[in-house]
Each structure stands twice: as structure tokens, then as C-alpha cells.
Amino acid sequence: MQIIQTVLALALTLGILVTLHEYGHFWVARRCGVKVLRFSVGFGKPLFSWYDRHGTEFAVAAIPLGGYVKMLDEREGPVPEGLKDQAFTSKPPSQRIAIAAAGPLANFLFAIFAYWLLSVVGVTTVAPVVGDVTPGSVAERAGLQQGMEIHAVDGHRVTSWRDINMRLLERTGEQGLVTLEVSQNGSKGTVDGALNGWRLSNDTPNPLAEFGITPWRPAVPAVLGQVTSDGRAAAAGLRSGDRIVAVDGEPVADWFALVDYIRNAPETDLELSIERDGTPLELTVRPATRTLDDGQEIGFVGAGVEAITWPDELLREVRYGPFAAIPNAVHETWADTRLTLVAIKKMVTGLLSPTNLSGPITIARVAEASVSSGFEDFIRFLAYLSVSLGVLNLLPIPVLDGGHIVYYTIEAIRRKPVSEQVQALGLRIGMALILTLMVFALYNDLMRL
């Protein structure tokens, strides 16, 4: 069932973004008088298709990993004399550049709309207040202390831990100072610390933790929130609302201590002292075994924590009016664009490990998680992925939109097209590069399973 949900989440996510991207090409091509033969979402054999009054076939194909717009093109075969003025190749370079750029542009416009929608609807975030600071970390060198709230990183305003993570990602591998605007007990100030070439780990980068910050969180008592009906907790008689007081006679400080007890005791009987509606009870639970990606075996019982209640003073509602939301949406889209460009640059220069490159499996898992998390997380994920798709397609690599734009720009300057030999060589290089990246991304995906 989990696999089906993940596949459906991937199909939904890529389906939305690919349709938007290809519609950008399609819309501008039509406006330029180019005859569009097929608009396909997905590759391979069409699952179903239909035709509009212009003779364009709209198809949904079996492999949901992309799409394409097929236009009348003299490079792909003879074109009837009466239709030559509708061929893509008959259009001036300026119009071909516009058609090629329209797909990425559609992705950026969608991201702006998505962030505008979130800005108008409003989102509630948790104030980025520091919990603990790791000794010897950049955060400690900067002078961060428990209880400080972070308001800006290097002059950029931040309102959530997500914002801070994105800003820290941009500084990985760099020298110099990182500057943080903070407040504590009503007073505001600025702290800064030397990065000294601070870098993220290769496999599972966590900018916040590796910077040395543990976010503040309220106390989490060992109270069960949900209990799965087919888990060991339910079989032992545990119920939602039970407070775990002790395990094998050892007092339980909080939820995280309880988790540690259970994880360290697969297939081992644990004597639980609990409180249920004020009444003490004794129950025995035997955690089942779960094997992690690294081969480690841990115990689990099929129970989750009771929902955490955050203090009202730490909740921040971010909401804009319809017009004020426009510049904010543009700013958010530019921030995602900048982050994508910085990440590409740092991968090329070795400051960010290529193991962070992700393929369809990781996208599917993140998509499934964001769909499950709710509307806000899914829309944010769609917006960021849309920006990434737009940026990547504008890279000056043959076979991508950016490569075509380079060719047409050169043609506009030279007054003659790039030779077929050069284009053929570029096509082979571009295909080799893209296939290599796809294989490497898929390999990274498989290593994360």
C-alpha cells in the first residue's frame, strides 16, 4: 500500500509540473503560429489521447517522468508546402527563443503563484528559538545561546527554521563570517562567527544540526497519542492517553527517553509502569524488530506521541494581503532560484557532495511525505521543485531548453544557424551528460533505500 501511495504521489507531483512546463512551450508556440502535433504528459505509449480542433493530439503516456510538445519541424521530415509557414524551423530565432524559454518561465510563474497563495491564505510557523548549542560548532563560535530567537541570517530576514536552513545551505564550504540578528529577553543584537570552511556531510545533510543548533521544543511527556491496532503496543493493552512512568523500574524522563528504551530492546519483554486516568497499571510489552538502512536492528511497538502544544508566544502567523503578497511571492521564488544555482555551483566546485543529487525515487518519497503532511507542505514542495525544474532546464546544455536558447541566440547574432555537425556533437555530449546525471541520481536514490 505504501508503494502505491508513493507512486501516486510521484505521478501527481510530476504530472502537475510537467503539464505546466510543456503548456508554456505549447501556449507560446501557438501564439507564434507554430503547428503543434502532440502534447504529451509522460513518455512511451499513450494510455489515452484526444484531438482538438487544430489537429493537436493530447496524450497521457505510461511513464510519468517527463513530457514533450512535438511541433511541425522540417528537421524531422518533409513538410507540405502549404504548412511550411507553420513549421518551427520557419520561425525567426527570436520566436524560437521565446518558445524554448516558455517552459521554464511557466515553472517560475507557477512558483510565484504557489507562494502568493500561501502568503494570502497565511501560514503558522514556530519561532526559531535556540534550544541547545553544540560545543565546538560554528553556532558556539558565533556566540549563540539557549533561548535566543534568530531574526536574520547575513541580513536576510527569517521567520522559520526552514528559512534558516536555506540560508545556511548557501554558506556551506565558505570562509569568512556568518552574521545572525538575534533577540533574547527583550533585547536585540547581532552575533557572528567564523565559518572556517564549514561543510555539510555527504549523505544526509542537516544544515541546522551540523551548524550546531538544536531548536527549542517544549517538554514532550511520555504520553501515547495514537496506537496502531495491529502493533505490539495495542496487543499489550496500551491505549491512547496512557502516560509511561517507568520502564523496568527506571523512571522515564520524557518521550525521547521512552523511545530510547524501546529502540534498544527488540524482542525483549519490557515492564511498563503507566498511569491511565490517574490509575496506576503494570503492563508488559515486547517490541518488534525493525531493520534500518544501515543494518541496525531496533525495537518498535506501533505507538506515537501525543500532539505537542506550542506556547502561543512562540507561534508566528505570516499572512499578507493580495497585493502585498506579490513581492513576497517573487522574493520566495528568487530565494529558491538562488539556492538551486548555489547548490549547482557548489556541487561543481566540490563544496557540496554530489551524493545530495536526487532522482525520481527520492522525489517520490518526499512527494508522498509532503502530500501526507498537508496542503502547505505539498504546495511548498511543488513550488521548490518547479523552480528547480525551471533552473535546470535553462542550463546551457544541448537537449535542454537552455542549450536550444544558446543555439538560437548564436544564430540571431551570426545571421545563420549553427552547423548541423556542431549541433549533432552537442546533442551527443548533452545526452551523455544528462544520462550520466540521471544514472548517478538514481544510484543515490537506491543507496538511500
Side-chain angles (χ1 to χ4, degrees):
M1 186 63 181
Q2 183 71 33
I3 294 177
I4 294 176
Q5 290 178 342
T6 301
V7 171
L8 289 176
L10 175 66
L12 174 63
T13 301
L14 293 184
I16 292 172
L17 298 183
V18 167
T19 300
L20 288 168
H21 181 92
E22 299 304 333
Y23 186 77
H25 293 310
F26 169 81
W27 191 85
V28 174
R30 278 273 180 91
R31 296 309 176 277
C32 291
V34 176
K35 182 174 180 60
V36 179
L37 302 178
R38 175 183 283 182
F39 182 121
S40 177
V41 177
F43 297 117
K45 185 178 180 180
L47 298 175
F48 55 90
S49 64
W50 66 96
Y51 290 85
D52 69 0
R53 61 188 179 86
H54 300 285
T56 300
E57 179 188 11
F58 293 84
V60 176
I63 305 174
L65 297 178
Y68 61 92
V69 171
K70 183 178 181 180
M71 293 171 262
L72 192 64
D73 194 318
E74 292 178 292
R75 296 169 299 182
E76 297 183 4
V79 174
E81 192 65 34
L83 295 178
K84 283 192 174 182
D85 63 329
Q86 298 182 48
F88 177 79
T89 42
S90 72
K91 302 303 176 182
S94 58
Q95 291 190 1
R96 281 178 276 150
I97 290 172
I99 294 170
L105 179 61
N107 289 123
F108 292 122
L109 290 176
F110 170 76
I112 292 173
F113 170 75
Y115 283 126
W116 176 86
L117 180 63
L118 289 177
S119 299
V120 172
V121 172
V123 296
T124 300
T125 64
V126 175
V129 175
V130 177
D132 292 314
V133 177
T134 304
S137 65
V138 180
E140 185 186 54
R141 292 198 295 271
L144 284 176
Q145 299 175 9
Q146 186 180 50
M148 284 183 170
E149 180 176 349
I150 303 173
H151 298 281
V153 178
D154 293 330
H156 299 283
R157 176 174 170 265
V158 294
T159 59
S160 66
W161 288 117
R162 174 184 178 273
D163 294 342
I164 295 173
N165 262 320
M166 292 180 68
R167 291 302 170 187
L168 293 180
L169 271 172
E170 293 187 15
R171 299 302 307 274
T172 180
E174 296 183 7
Q175 303 292 333
L177 298 176
V178 60
T179 302
L180 308 169
E181 294 177 23
V182 299
S183 66
Q184 188 174 29
N185 300 325
S187 61
K188 295 185 177 181
T190 300
V191 298
D192 51 51
L195 289 168
N196 294 341
W198 167 74
R199 298 180 68 167
L200 301 180
S201 65
N202 290 341
D203 299 323
T204 54
N206 184 337
L208 209 58
E210 296 174 47
F211 190 78
I213 300 175
T214 299
W216 183 90
R217 61 191 177 201
V220 184
V223 178
L224 303 185
Q226 60 275 356
V227 178
T228 57
S229 58
D230 57 349
R232 295 284 180 90
L238 289 166
R239 301 177 186 174
S240 177
D242 286 348
R243 177 186 293 271
I244 313 301
V245 178
V247 177
D248 291 339
E250 294 290 331
V252 175
D254 55 23
W255 174 261
F256 305 103
L258 174 62
V259 170
D260 287 339
Y261 276 118
I262 294 172
R263 285 171 62 94
N264 294 327
E267 299 302 338
T268 302
D269 288 338
L270 297 176
E271 301 295 330
L272 305 184
S273 300
I274 70 172
E275 286 184 4
R276 179 179 296 165
D277 299 327
T279 302
L281 293 172
E282 300 289 331
L283 294 174
T284 300
V285 65
R286 186 180 183 88
T289 300
R290 173 176 289 167
T291 303
L292 301 181
D293 295 344
D294 59 5
Q296 179 187 2
E297 292 185 343
I298 63 170
F300 78 103
V301 296
V305 66
E306 188 176 55
I308 300 173
T309 301
W310 289 86
D312 290 341
E313 62 271 18
L314 290 184
L315 297 178
R316 305 283 188 268
E317 184 174 9
V318 182
R319 186 190 302 270
Y320 295 83
F323 294 106
I326 296 174
N328 182 67
V330 173
H331 171 77
E332 292 277 5
T333 302
W334 167 243
D336 286 353
T337 303
R338 175 180 169 81
L339 178 62
T340 303
L341 290 171
V342 168
I344 293 172
K345 174 186 174 182
K346 293 192 173 183
M347 282 189 188
V348 171
T349 58
L351 295 178
L352 190 63
S353 172
T355 57
N356 294 304
L357 189 66
S358 297
I361 297 176
T362 297
I363 293 174
R365 294 172 69 178
V366 175
E368 196 274 331
S370 63
V371 169
S372 302
S373 297
F375 173 78
E376 178 190 342
D377 287 338
F378 183 57
I379 294 299
R380 282 191 181 278
F381 174 68
L382 276 179
Y384 180 72
L385 198 57
S386 188
V387 168
S388 298
L389 183 62
V391 171
L392 293 175
N393 269 280
L394 284 176
L395 294 178
I397 299 174
V399 313
L400 296 180
D401 295 326
H404 295 309
I405 291 172
V406 170
Y407 284 150
Y408 304 146
T409 301
I410 294 173
E411 180 181 344
I413 295 172
R414 297 174 67 235
R415 304 294 182 180
K416 62 179 181 179
V418 176
S419 68
E420 292 185 5
Q421 292 84 354
V422 171
Q423 291 193 46
L425 177 61
L427 178 63
R428 288 195 292 270
I429 294 173
M431 286 296 294
L433 180 59
I434 295 300
L435 287 174
T436 300
L437 291 175
M438 289 176 62
V439 170
F440 189 68
L442 184 58
Y443 172 79
N444 288 341
D445 284 352
L446 294 174
M447 291 299 100
R448 295 187 183 109
L449 293 178

